[in-house]
C-alpha cells in the first residue's frame, strides 16, 4: 500500500497514524510552507517508509522571498525528499494573489527541474468556476514538466486531458468514495491504469466509511477498494498497480 499525499504535520497523533500504516511501502508527507516542509522532512528522516515533499502551497504564495527560496532549496536536496510541492493555483480561499501564486509555481517548477523531482499540483476554483483549472492547464502546456501528478483529483475534465497528454499522473483521495461523486468514479473508471495513484490528503478528505473522523494513511485502503471496483480488478491487483505507479513517479526504495 502507498499513500502518495498526506499531511502528517496537520494530524493530532501523527506517530500513531504512522504506526497504523507500518506495513505500507511508502507514505509521502507533503509540506505547504517552509516550517511545515521542515516538519515533513523530520518525519521522513525518522521513519524508513516515510518520505517528504517540500514546497509552498498556493495559498501561502505571498510569503515567497529569497529567504524562503533558499530554505526550500536546501530542504529539497535531502535524499528523503521525493517531490516538490504542493504547488498550483487556488482561487477558492483568495489568500494569495494570482500573480504571487504564479511566481511561486515558477520557482517550484525550476527547483523540480534542477533536482529532477516530480511536481505535485493543487488546483481549486470558487463557486464552480473553471478558471483555476484553465489557468493550470495553460501553464502545463507551456512548461511541459516531465514528471507530475494532479493531487486529490476532483473531476476537472479539461485539466485531466492535459495531464494525460503530457504524461502526468492523476491521484484520487477519499472523495472518490463519497456517495454523490458518481461522475468522479466514472472518470476514474475510464483512466489508464498506468496513470493512477491513490492518496488520503489526510487529515482531510476522509473516505465514506470513516466520514466524521480525521483521515489517516491507513484509510488509503478504502480508495484502493473503490478504484478496484471501478476497474473490475481484484483488490490486491489494484493495490500492486498503484504501488508500482507510485514507485515509478517518486523513485523511492522498492
Amino acid at each position: 500500500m502507498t499513500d502518495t499525499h498526506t499531511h502528517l504535520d496537520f494530524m493530532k497523533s501523527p506517530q500513531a497514524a504512522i504506526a497504523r500504516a507500518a506495513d505500507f511501502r511508502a507514505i509521502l508527507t507533503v509540506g505547504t510552507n517552509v516550517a511545515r516542509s521542515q516538519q515533513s522532512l523530520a518525519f521522513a528522516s525518522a521513519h524508513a517508509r516515510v518520505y517528504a515533499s517540500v514546497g509552498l502551497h498556493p495559498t501561502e504564495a505571498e510569503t515567497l522571498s529569497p529567504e524562503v527560496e533558499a530554505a526550500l532549496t536546501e530542504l529539497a536536496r535531502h535524499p528523503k525528499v521525493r517531490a516538490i510541492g504542493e504547488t498550483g493555483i487556488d482561487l477558492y480561499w483568495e489568500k494569495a494573489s494570482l500573480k504571487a501564486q504564479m511566481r511561486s509555481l515558477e520557482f517550484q517548477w525550476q527547483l523540480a527541474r534542477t533536482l529532477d523531482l516530480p511536481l505535485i499540483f493543487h488546483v481549486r476554483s470558487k463557486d464552480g468556476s473553471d478558471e483555476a483549472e484553465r489557468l493550470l492547464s495553460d501553464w502545463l502546456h507551456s512548461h511541459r514538466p516531465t514528471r507530475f501528478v494532479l493531487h486529490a483529483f476532483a473531476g476537472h475534465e479539461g485539466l485531466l486531458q492535459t495531464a494525460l497528454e503530457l504524461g502526468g499522473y492523476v491521484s484520487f483521495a477519499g472523495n472518490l468514495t463519497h456517495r454523490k461523486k458518481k461522475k468522479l468514479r466514472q472518470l476514474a473508471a475510464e483512466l489508464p491504469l498506468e496513470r493512477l495513484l491513490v492518496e488520503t490528503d489526510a487529515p482531510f478528505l476522509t473516505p465514506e466509511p470513516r466520514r466524521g473522523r480525521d483521515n489517516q494513511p491507513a484509510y488509503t485502503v478504502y480508495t484502493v477498494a473503490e478504484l478496484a471496483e471501478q476497474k473490475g480488478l481484484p483488490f490486491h491487483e489494484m493495490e500492486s498497480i498503484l504501488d508500482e505507479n507510485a514507485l515509478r513517479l517518486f523513485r523511492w526504495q522498492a
Side-chain angles (χ1 to χ4, degrees):
M1 195 80 70
T2 303
D3 183 353
T4 65
H5 191 118
T6 194
H7 298 279
L8 293 173
D9 54 302
F10 279 96
M11 294 182 190
K12 298 171 185 173
S13 303
Q15 298 297 341
I18 294 170
R20 283 191 286 269
D23 58 344
F24 274 39
R25 173 180 282 190
I27 297 170
L28 184 68
T29 184
V30 178
T32 55
N33 57 32
V34 171
R36 290 190 178 278
S37 293
Q38 290 170 333
Q39 288 178 280
S40 293
L41 184 53
F43 284 120
S45 298
H47 300 275
R49 295 294 182 181
V50 178
Y51 298 84
S53 178
V54 302
L56 200 61
H57 192 280
T59 58
E60 300 262 8
E62 296 283 0
T63 68
L64 187 69
S65 67
E67 293 76 18
V68 167
E69 291 184 6
L72 288 174
T73 299
E74 181 179 357
L75 290 170
R77 296 185 184 280
H78 193 284
K80 296 256 0 218
V81 171
R82 305 314 306 145
I84 301 299
E86 59 191 275
T87 185
I89 299 173
D90 192 310
L91 303 180
Y92 186 85
W93 295 108
E94 299 178 354
K95 290 182 179 178
S97 71
L98 179 58
K99 184 177 180 180
Q101 291 185 41
M102 298 308 292
R103 280 199 306 268
S104 178
L105 177 52
E106 290 282 338
F107 160 68
Q108 291 176 83
W109 171 64
Q110 290 288 359
L111 182 59
R113 288 182 67 192
T114 299
L115 299 179
D116 189 26
L117 291 171
L119 278 163
I120 298 173
F121 287 112
H122 165 106
V123 60
R124 194 175 186 190
S125 289
K126 192 170 187 177
D127 300 329
S129 166
D130 63 356
E131 183 180 5
E133 294 86 352
R134 178 182 57 79
L135 288 169
L136 184 55
S137 183
D138 290 347
W139 186 93
L140 285 168
H141 274 300
S142 63
H143 290 73
R144 307 184 76 83
T146 55
R147 293 160 60 205
F148 69 92
V149 57
L150 302 180
H151 114 83
F153 183 67
H156 321 304
E157 294 187 62
L159 184 58
L160 173 62
Q161 291 307 311
T162 297
L164 294 178
E165 289 169 15
L166 297 177
Y169 290 77
V170 182
S171 182
F172 291 91
N175 55 336
L176 184 72
T177 70
H178 295 173
R179 293 188 182 95
K180 295 182 179 180
K181 298 295 183 179
K182 294 180 180 179
K183 179 63 176 179
L184 188 60
R185 287 189 285 276
Q186 179 183 338
L187 290 172
E190 296 170 355
L191 280 178
L193 281 169
E194 66 273 14
R195 302 291 188 86
L196 290 173
L197 294 173
V198 67
E199 64 174 271
T200 56
D201 201 21
F204 317 107
L205 296 180
T206 307
E208 188 70 43
R210 300 287 182 172
R211 291 188 83 172
R213 308 181 189 183
D214 284 350
N215 205 359
Q216 58 177 294
Y219 294 169
T220 306
V221 62
Y222 297 105
T223 307
V224 175
E226 185 62 54
L227 283 171
E229 181 176 343
Q230 296 305 318
K231 286 295 189 181
L233 294 174
F235 177 90
H236 291 294
E237 184 176 344
M238 188 76 248
E239 179 187 26
S240 178
I241 289 168
L242 294 166
D243 285 352
E244 291 304 314
N245 290 350
L247 177 63
R248 189 164 59 249
L249 178 62
F250 295 108
R251 299 178 183 172
W252 39 55
Q253 293 180 354

